[in-house]
């Protein structure tokens, strides 16, 4: 393709990626981005290490319930989701990992409703098909379909469902951002011989057989792509914000799904226990409780997770340390409710500190990502399915952080033992260490 615009248009014609543009500009890069194996291996190890740390945290919160209600500050309905699912939280997650002069750093793990799978899978496959002139390249997302289906099948078998399944996919139908991912999931599942029903939480009910139903169709499995914090109470994160519209919990749909899961009638993927691990105050607890974890997990936290603390414990220290910190709300995502200290002025920083409801925020040490050859920063979204690395989403942007304007780049890997000597039109990133 001669331009990114042509590439985006071709994707729209040939793939389920119906929205390759954003505000009139392509949101996908046309050139593949090739990672060396040394870098990829550490990125994957960092993602898996932090997922394991969240697993140990979930076990501690199961044994000591006061951690979830107290230090994490879960609301009444959030706490109910956790108690109905504990200690289960994991299915598919995406760790956002950056490369620095000191190696990989994980800024957070999306363990609730990770997205981007369609872009990751379809872009990498398209890039590999046009990179035949560079033999030895590997698609890092080639097994994501198999791993996702294996996850669905394993959850179904765990409650006695085998063979052809009825799978409901619950997602925010009023939002278009993840329609390509929903379409990809539907295609994967139907190709595997399953019946798929799509709908919103408002279409969820109870069936006579005890299963959760979507549009009155009983489901063996529900793939949940509707955020746990949206199922529960919605509350402001600043003291100068008005009350949130529609702040009441989605009581009936939530209870229908929780009851069916508890009674082992319908498996929910991801489990509602993700309400605990998705809360960014969990990152602070990983540091606070680090001495309780297994030695390997302690090392993973120290090596790959920037120091993170509950805001109420450190706010008094932060007023004049703007350039060293990042503020994050508990359930903010895609750059929302994130204040990058080095990227804002002092007035904005003090406004954020002055109005943040401390029980809803954390402060995380700023780390400096290493720019790539073109001066951009790459957010390596490492997918982890059932505790193992399973794919890679690359989002590229300037220093100011990952948001909806970040360009998504096709990801390819150099095969093991292959020297990083690719054609000049295939940008290569190879770890120096």
């Amino acid at each position: 393709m001669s331009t990114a615009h042509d590439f985006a248009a071709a994707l729209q014609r040939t793939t389920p990626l119906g929205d390759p543009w954003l505000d009139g500009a392509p949101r996908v890069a046309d050139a593949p981005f090739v990672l060396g194996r040394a870098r990829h291996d550490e990125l994957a190890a960092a993602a898996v290490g932090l997922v394991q740390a969240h697993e140990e945290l979930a076990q501690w919160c199961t044994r000591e319930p006061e951690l979830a209600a107290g230090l994490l500050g879960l609301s009444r309905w959030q706490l109910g989701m956790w108690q109905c699912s504990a200690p289960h939280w994991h299915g598919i997650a995406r760790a956002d990992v950056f490369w620095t002069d000191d190696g990989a750093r994980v800024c957070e793990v999306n363990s609730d409703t990770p997205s981007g799978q369609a872009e990751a899978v379809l872009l990498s496959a398209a890039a590999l098909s046009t990179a035949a002139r560079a033999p030895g390249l590997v698609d890092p997302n080639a097994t994501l379909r198999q791993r996702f289906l294996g996850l669905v099948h394993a959850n179904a078998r765990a409650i006695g469902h085998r063979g052809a399944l009825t799978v409901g996919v619950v997602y925010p139908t009023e939002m278009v951002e993840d329609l390509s991912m929903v379409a990809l999931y539907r295609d994967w599942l139907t190709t595997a011989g399953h019946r798929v029903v799509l709908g919103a939480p408002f279409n969820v009910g109870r069936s006579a057989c005890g299963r959760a139903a979507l549009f009155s169709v009983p489901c063996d499995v529900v793939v949940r792509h509707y955020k746990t914090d949206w199922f529960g109470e919605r509350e402001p994160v600043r003291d100068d914000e008005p009350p949130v519209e529609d702040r009441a919990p989605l009581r009936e749909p939530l209870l229908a799904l929780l009851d069916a899961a508890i009674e082992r009638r319908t498996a929910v993927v991801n489990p509602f226990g993700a309400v605990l691990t998705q809360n960014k105050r969990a990152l602070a607890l990983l540091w606070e409780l680090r001495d309780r974890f297994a030695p390997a997990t302690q090392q993973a936290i120290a090596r790959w997770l920037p120091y993170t603390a509950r805001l109420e414990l450190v706010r008094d220290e932060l007023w004049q340390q703007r350039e060293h910190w990042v503020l994050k709300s508990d359930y903010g995502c895609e750059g929302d409710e994130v204040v990058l200290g080095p990227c804002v002025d002092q007035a904005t920083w003090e406004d954020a500190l002055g109005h943040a409801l401390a029980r809803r925020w954390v402060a995380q040490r700023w780390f400096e990502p290493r720019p790539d050859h073109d001066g951009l920063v790459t957010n390596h979204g490492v997918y982890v399915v059932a505790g193992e690395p399973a794919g890679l989403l690359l989002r590229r942007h300037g220093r100011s952080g990952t948001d909806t304007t970040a360009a998504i780049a096709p990801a390819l890997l150099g095969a093991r033992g292959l020297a990083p000597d690719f054609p000049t039109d295939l940008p290569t990133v190879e770890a120096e260490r």
Side-chain angles (χ1 to χ4, degrees):
M1 294 300 167
S2 58
T3 66
H5 187 279
D6 293 336
F7 183 66
L11 288 174
Q12 192 176 45
R13 290 194 305 270
T14 61
T15 74
L17 295 177
D19 55 345
W21 290 277
L22 182 69
D23 294 333
R27 66 180 183 93
V28 293
D30 57 336
F33 200 78
V34 181
L35 279 80
R37 279 293 183 146
R39 173 178 292 199
H40 176 264
D41 288 351
E42 180 164 347
L43 296 170
V48 171
L50 267 296
V51 166
Q52 176 59 37
H54 280 79
E55 171 64 19
E56 292 194 35
L57 177 64
Q59 297 292 339
W60 277 108
C61 289
T62 303
R63 291 191 291 267
E64 299 182 19
E66 65 275 10
L67 293 175
L71 300 186
L72 278 179
L74 298 185
S75 69
R76 177 190 173 197
W77 282 85
Q78 291 169 352
L79 194 60
M81 292 181 228
W82 166 245
Q83 291 171 339
C84 289
S85 304
H88 304 298
W89 63 275
H90 180 47
I92 179 171
R94 192 195 69 229
D96 289 345
V97 195
F98 292 84
W99 194 256
T100 75
D101 288 339
D102 297 316
R105 293 292 181 273
V106 179
C107 67
E108 60 189 57
V109 176
N110 186 335
S111 57
D112 191 16
T113 56
S115 59
Q117 291 87 325
E119 290 82 355
V121 169
L122 298 171
L123 289 178
S124 291
L128 188 65
S129 69
T130 60
R133 62 192 182 281
L137 295 181
V138 176
D139 179 356
N141 295 302
T143 64
L144 188 52
R145 173 186 179 276
Q146 177 185 351
R147 298 297 303 281
F148 170 78
L149 291 174
L151 175 67
V152 171
H153 296 159
N155 277 271
R157 289 195 301 271
I159 60 172
H161 299 319
R162 300 178 184 276
L165 305 169
T166 298
V167 181
V169 180
V170 176
Y171 67 103
T173 54
E174 73 278 14
M175 300 174 65
V176 301
E177 289 86 345
D178 294 328
L179 289 180
S180 56
M181 187 207 74
V182 172
L184 187 72
Y185 278 178
R186 180 192 59 200
D187 291 348
W188 285 354
L189 290 162
T190 54
T191 302
H194 306 307
R195 179 186 183 186
V196 178
V197 185
L198 306 180
F202 310 100
N203 308 126
V204 172
R206 305 167 190 255
S207 66
C209 63
R211 297 176 185 174
L214 193 56
F215 285 110
S216 300
V217 178
C219 296
D220 304 306
V221 179
V222 166
V223 175
R224 179 185 60 80
H225 194 73
Y226 196 89
K227 295 167 58 177
T228 50
D229 60 303
W230 291 355
F231 271 102
E233 310 95 318
R234 302 191 189 190
E235 300 174 346
V237 296
R238 290 171 53 109
D239 63 14
D240 59 348
E241 290 181 342
V244 179
E245 294 184 12
D246 299 323
R247 60 184 181 273
L250 302 184
R251 185 178 186 277
E252 291 306 319
L254 176 57
L255 291 178
L257 289 167
L258 288 176
D259 285 348
I262 291 171
E263 295 170 4
R264 300 174 62 80
R265 304 287 186 176
T266 299
V268 178
V269 182
N270 284 330
F272 278 97
V275 71
L276 183 138
T277 54
Q278 182 66 24
N279 188 314
K280 293 187 184 66
R281 289 167 69 86
L283 302 174
L285 286 196
L286 293 181
W287 274 98
E288 283 190 51
L289 306 179
R290 188 163 61 106
D291 290 346
R292 302 188 184 189
F293 298 151
T297 304
Q298 295 183 35
Q299 294 173 11
I301 294 168
R303 178 177 178 181
W304 290 312
L305 178 66
Y307 176 71
T308 309
R310 291 180 289 139
L311 183 58
E312 63 266 31
L313 300 183
V314 297
R315 177 153 60 179
D316 291 345
E317 307 170 17
L318 304 186
W319 295 93
Q320 301 305 318
Q321 298 183 24
R322 171 179 57 82
E323 295 185 353
H324 302 293
W325 292 92
V326 176
L327 303 179
K328 300 181 178 184
S329 70
D330 49 4
Y331 290 104
C333 66
E334 300 301 332
D336 290 340
E337 300 170 4
V338 175
V339 184
L340 304 178
C343 301
V344 301
D345 58 29
Q346 187 65 20
T348 301
W349 180 251
E350 292 182 4
D351 177 76
L353 278 177
H355 290 289
L357 295 171
R359 63 183 176 80
R360 300 287 306 280
W361 292 76
V362 298
Q364 187 175 81
R365 282 281 186 185
W366 168 264
F367 59 88
E368 191 71 47
R370 181 192 292 177
D372 294 314
H373 61 282
D374 55 2
L376 296 179
V377 169
T378 300
N379 181 338
H380 310 81
V382 181
Y383 291 105
V384 180
V385 178
E388 298 292 336
L392 189 62
L393 173 72
L394 299 185
R395 290 174 292 173
R396 311 197 65 239
H397 51 79
R399 186 171 183 256
S400 59
T402 310
D403 57 22
T404 55
T405 66
I408 302 173
L412 295 176
L413 304 181
R416 292 195 184 279
L418 182 70
D421 183 19
F422 307 120
T424 56
D425 61 343
L426 294 177
T428 305
V429 176
E430 182 68 25
E432 283 80 4
R433 51 188 290 268

